[in-house]
Amino acid sequence: MEAVQACGGVALVLPAAQSAVREYVEVVDAVVFTGGGDVDPLYFGEEPVSTQRVTPARDAFEISLVRELLAARKPILGICRGLQVLNIAAGGDIYQDLSLPVGNGFLIKHRQNAPGWYPTHWIEVHAGSLLARIWGQARVRVNSFHHQAVRSLAPGFKAAAVASDGVVEAMELEGDGFVLGVQWHPELMWAKDTYQRQLFASLVEAAERRKTQVRS
Ligand code: MN
């Protein structure tokens, strides 16, 4: 909320009321999906594997909200769990636990012990992505506090940045909208880090731009 407000937005918190999803989508100009516990793997057709804290009401609410926002073409910024919710709601899936064998095995540390504001690993930003346009920079350092990650990207989405071990660190909807998910936590970094602040500033700009287009 502080980052959105520092960038000129007006931040509201939405109670997880599934019956209110349609009304929320009419009222808001954009949504930030925050970090949190694990999405119930039932949503991507799997049995639980070292699943941690699950919040059933929040899962159901956020998955509906993502789908309605995508249909309304409203801007989305998904952070950590928010990226995972975005991918699952749009038809993708995730690795349930990065401590289990993934791909060719070797993974860098994605659950740092350093302070939250402190970046601990590099990400490689894909040329031509929305993220590359926001940053104008091919390599950036980010923090890392996740034990899950994207496996299959949802249809219509592409990876926007990867870590050196191949883990998807950012994903976005193809096309010219603003639907971006990041696996790190910019909300812990933006006060000290211009790149992370730019994510929130770009979201607020995209929300404003879309609202102006709809009015005219
Ligand atoms: Mn990471």
Side-chain angles (χ1 to χ4, degrees), residues 62-73:
E62 290 185 341
I63 284 171
S64 305
L65 184 56
V66 164
R67 290 176 180 159
E68 291 289 336
L69 288 164
L70 289 173
R73 300 179 56 81

Side-chain angles (χ1 to χ4, degrees), residues 108-110 121 123 142-146 163 167 169 183-184:
I108 62 169
K109 184 162 178 159
H110 288 283
H121 73 64
I123 57 168
V142 298
N143 63 10
S144 204
F145 294 95
H146 56 112
V167 165
E169 288 280 339
Q183 189 56 73
W184 64 95

Side-chain angles (χ1 to χ4, degrees), residues 9-10 12 14 24-32 69 72-76 178 203-212 214-215:
V10 176
L12 305 171
L14 301 179
Y24 286 159
V25 171
E26 279 177 31
V27 169
V28 300
D29 299 314
V31 174
V32 177
L69 288 164
R73 300 179 56 81
K74 292 209 170 178
I76 297 173
F178 190 111
L203 175 73
V204 171
E205 276 166 34
E208 192 61 43
R209 199 162 53 239
R210 189 194 169 283
K211 193 159 68 167
T212 314
V214 171
R215 274 199 203 118

